[in-house]
Amino acid sequence: MGAQFITGSFEKLEQLKNPKLTQFVSDCISLCKPEKVFVSNGSETDLRFIREESLKNGEESKLAAKGHTIHFDSAEDQGRAVDDTKILIPTGTGLGSSISTKERNEGLAEVRGIMNGIMEGRTMYVQFHCLGPLNSTISIPCAQITDSAYVTHTENLLYRQGYEEFRRQGASAKFLKFVHSAGELENAVTKNIGKRRIYIDLAGETVYSVNTQYAGNSAGLKKLALRLTIRRASEQGGWLSEHMYLAGVSGPGGRETYFSGAFPSACGKTSTAMVRGGTIVGDDISYLWFDEQKQVRAANAERGMFGIITDVNAKDDPLIWEVLHSPNDLIFSNVLKLADGKVFWMGSGEPTPAKGINYAGEWHEGKADANGKPVKPSHPNARFAVSLSAFKNSDANLDNPKGVPLGGIIYGGRDYDTSVPVQQSFGWEHGIIAYGASLESQTTTATIGALDVRKFDPMANRDFLSISISKYLQSNLDFGASAKEPPPIFSVNYFLKGKDGKFLNAKRDKEVWLKWMELRVHGDAGAIETPTGFIPKYGDLKKLFKEVLGYDYSPASYGEQFTLRIPENLAKMERIIKIYEEMPNAPEAVLRVLGAQKARLLAAQKNGGYITPGKLE
Ligand code: SPV
Ligand code: MN
């Protein structure tokens, strides 16, 4: 190894006595040719070293509040780079038209070519993490290599340290490998965005990410690992790796019921995980598996939050607000930095400052781009990264190796015109197919590309699939079939609009939907059967609105929100059926379940296109 190991680093690596790990590190050194190598064992000293490195190299700068820093990504690097992300597979093994792939040898040659010598004169950071709790049957050790102290720091906030897990699992550890370089920097920001590549090598369980800093593209354990674990889960069977939050909802008599929920990015997942009175286990990625009795358990793959900061305000998000305003090890990204060391973001409820610095440089009120379009003070996908331990409502079982018992599963998307605010499926198969596999959502700023376009996004996981949709759905169906008692499945829609184009629900109404679902899990609330699922009864919601939000929920609101919109639902079924008819090897159940739902909608249409819940009872 030609590079110079920073004091103690070589020994830290050697002590893990893992030839495959040493091989991976040595391969990355030969490829990237760093000047120095730092190996972290996750000790407080090593974590501090990384934080200092990031301040020294300018990727982060200090803010006024203790522990707070700010990082900027390039203006072209403000979200997940879908077009530059590819799954590498051998010729002749396509994954279907919706998954972007590249021939493996060609992709490896290209990305390794770009990475050749990319760390010359720089330090390579090597660190170890664990996806899922330590000492668990679900623990997955991971090795992250990067030349970005910001990425390293971010991962230290978001993921469990894994040095001890590598030691526990020994030389047989089947670890995931991530190698990243921010590439050439200009003002501490990635310069060569044109050469940004995020290539996922399935055969080697290795991800290469280069010329990007945005954490969704660079932090290996986040969405890069998700692609690898979806495939692992499907091949091994008996567990699922999902784009789901995980949180406890309190019910009558002090009981706590855990829900996991899949929502596309920027569609209310974090705010659902953070509702008042609940406890958060995770806000982005969950693993689901079984205990010895075949009951479903769930755990957070991560242990931190990389949350969207836009619209986080004191009234709607008091718990996040408090963390963002307390001394914490916390990184803001792509917000507006003010001269007094404070920050500003859109939707905070605070007055917009006259000037500051943002990802595009100096910003002042009235600033316009080359086309005369106003430049916003902060990016809509601006974020914060912080450990979940900072939150008062962090769940006591966050690190429990056995996870938590899963009470229910939720699917939700940004749907302006079709689905009711909340409903329960007729069972596992119906929920997986009619809700999860049929999920559609309007696109958001979390990905680079056109906004507000309706996109088919099965299980909110389409961007992260590394196996065909057919295979992935089959794994989901099989999982429920082998459970002793699969958890009930629900769908929610926070974005339904009325005839006037206004949202029909307030942000906090989700608290009521969650309480209703909690009651349903335990058989403590009735429901009305409709062609698309079970919907709440007015009386139950009236009581819950009063208890939870303290106001009288009117029959008119209920009628409007829970009207079955048959033309929109039928149109949706047509769109989804077409997708699955054209998909090779879709599980047999898919067209059967969708066809049955379409038939129920057609039968109901005899009573009109728009049926109020009263008429469905
Ligand atoms: C998402 O976009 O779904 C996120 C943030 O959770 S990212 O890290 O970009 O994936
Ligand atoms: Mn996400």
Side-chain angles (χ1 to χ4, degrees), residues 237-304:
W239 68 287
L240 296 174
S241 170
E242 297 299 314
H243 190 201
M244 284 179 173
Y245 86 89
L246 178 62
V249 176
S250 59
R255 77 181 168 210
E256 185 164 43
T257 309
Y258 290 96
F259 286 86
S260 69
F263 297 67
S265 312
C267 290
K269 189 149 53 84
T270 298
S271 58
T272 308
M274 289 293 294
V275 292
R276 289 182 320 158
T279 55
I280 180 169
V281 186
D283 85 323
D284 200 33
I285 300 166
S286 297
Y287 296 156
L288 276 55
W289 76 103
F290 301 119
D291 63 13
E292 291 81 25
Q293 284 76 45
K294 285 275 177 192
Q295 302 280 9
V296 179
R297 310 286 300 186
N300 182 3
E302 318 181 285
R303 90 171 314 287

Side-chain angles (χ1 to χ4, degrees), residues 306-495:
F306 179 54
I308 295 178
I309 202 164
T310 304
D311 291 334
V312 169
N313 61 72
K315 188 172 135 276
D316 295 323
D317 312 281
L319 294 163
I320 299 181
W321 187 263
E322 190 186 329
V323 166
L324 298 181
H325 292 85
S326 313
N328 276 307
D329 185 359
L330 195 158
I331 311 173
F332 291 93
S333 51
N334 307 315
V335 295
L336 185 71
K337 185 182 176 188
L338 310 178
D340 61 1
K342 292 194 174 139
V343 294
F344 170 83
W345 59 89
M346 292 183 300
S348 63
E350 305 209 306
T352 309
K355 58 180 185 176
I357 312 251
N358 72 10
Y359 63 92
E362 297 277 347
W363 181 88
H364 55 85
E365 227 179 332
K367 183 173 174 178
D369 67 12
N371 305 317
K373 230 179 101 198
V375 178
K376 293 175 175 151
S378 62
H379 193 276
N381 193 35
R383 298 202 173 228
F384 60 92
V386 70
S387 163
L388 283 178
S389 335
F391 292 94
K392 268 198 204 137
N393 59 333
S394 144
D395 192 277
N397 287 307
L398 173 61
D399 290 317
N400 188 336
K402 292 187 159 58
V404 298
L406 192 64
I409 291 177
I410 305 171
Y411 293 103
R414 189 174 287 263
D415 161 9
Y416 298 142
D417 58 13
T418 307
S419 303
V420 291
V422 62
Q423 59 184 339
Q424 181 183 352
S425 78
F426 301 123
W428 182 267
E429 193 180 65
H430 177 245
I432 289 294
I433 294 169
Y435 300 167
S438 302
L439 210 143
E440 294 177 306
S441 197
Q442 307 285 135
T443 51
T444 68
T445 55
T447 50
I448 297 171
L451 267 186
D452 237 2
V453 178
R454 185 164 10 220
K455 184 176 146 188
F456 167 63
D457 193 359
M459 277 76 177
N461 232 348
R462 178 173 138 168
D463 283 356
F464 314 115
L465 290 184
S466 51
I467 52 175
S468 69
I469 295 181
S470 306
K471 200 167 171 194
Y472 170 67
L473 292 184
Q474 191 61 57
S475 301
N476 268 266
L477 291 167
D478 292 347
F479 183 80
S482 30
K484 178 155 179 251
E485 216 183 319
I489 297 180
F490 300 87
S491 87
V492 296
N493 180 13
Y494 304 153
F495 300 91

Side-chain angles (χ1 to χ4, degrees), residues 80-114:
R80 277 188 284 106
V82 181
D83 291 347
D84 296 329
T85 306
K86 306 223 183 286
I87 310 277
L88 303 184
I89 49 170
T91 327
T93 54
L95 298 177
S97 58
S98 58
I99 301 175
S100 183
T101 59
K102 194 168 175 78
E103 200 283 319
R104 180 170 187 251
N105 292 328
E106 207 182 295
L108 284 178
E110 184 194 3
V111 73
R112 290 180 67 98
I114 296 175

Side-chain angles (χ1 to χ4, degrees), residues 137 337 498 512:
T137 50
K337 185 182 176 188
V512 171

